[in-house]
Amino acid sequence: KEITEQRLVVTINRDQESFLGDTPVNVHDLAQKLHQQGTDPAHQIIYLRADERVPFGAFASVMDAVKQAGITNISIVTQPLEAKASTEAGN
């Protein structure tokens, strides 16, 4: 249970909207929201997922917010391009 509480997923969708878990969050409030999780930032792990169309600037803003919360253990999650491959296969 303790491990799952320490692993938070931050997602940036194709519209550059940020989510903490399944909850929409303004990137400017992200550092504060991460602080509220009540875990020692040094031991907290963040998984950052971003849509492939997200510009680097939006990605960098979220990274900065996570670092402002004192969290340095950030894993970038990549997803297979299943949807893209299946639409290309139909052409």
Side-chain angles (χ1 to χ4, degrees):
K1 183 177 178 187
E2 186 179 352
I3 291 174
T4 20
E5 288 174 356
Q6 291 179 349
R7 293 186 185 187
L8 295 172
V9 179
V10 176
T11 305
I12 312 168
N13 69 11
R14 70 177 65 186
D15 298 322
Q16 298 179 41
E17 298 166 329
S18 302
F19 296 84
L20 179 56
D22 295 327
T23 309
V25 62
N26 186 308
V27 70
H28 303 295
D29 301 331
L30 185 56
Q32 179 187 357
K33 298 269 187 202
L34 291 170
H35 265 300
Q36 292 173 353
Q37 297 298 317
T39 318
D40 178 4
H43 295 103
Q44 196 160 23
I45 301 168
I46 293 288
Y47 291 94
L48 182 54
R49 248 188 352 206
D51 186 273
E52 63 180 12
R53 292 177 270 300
V54 171
F56 183 74
F59 182 82
S61 296
V62 171
M63 288 286 287
D64 285 345
V66 171
K67 288 181 180 177
Q68 283 175 14
I71 299 166
T72 55
N73 193 346
I74 305 166
S75 294
I76 298 167
V77 179
T78 56
Q79 296 174 325
L81 303 174
E82 295 166 10
K84 190 174 180 181
S86 64
T87 50
E88 287 177 357
N91 291 341

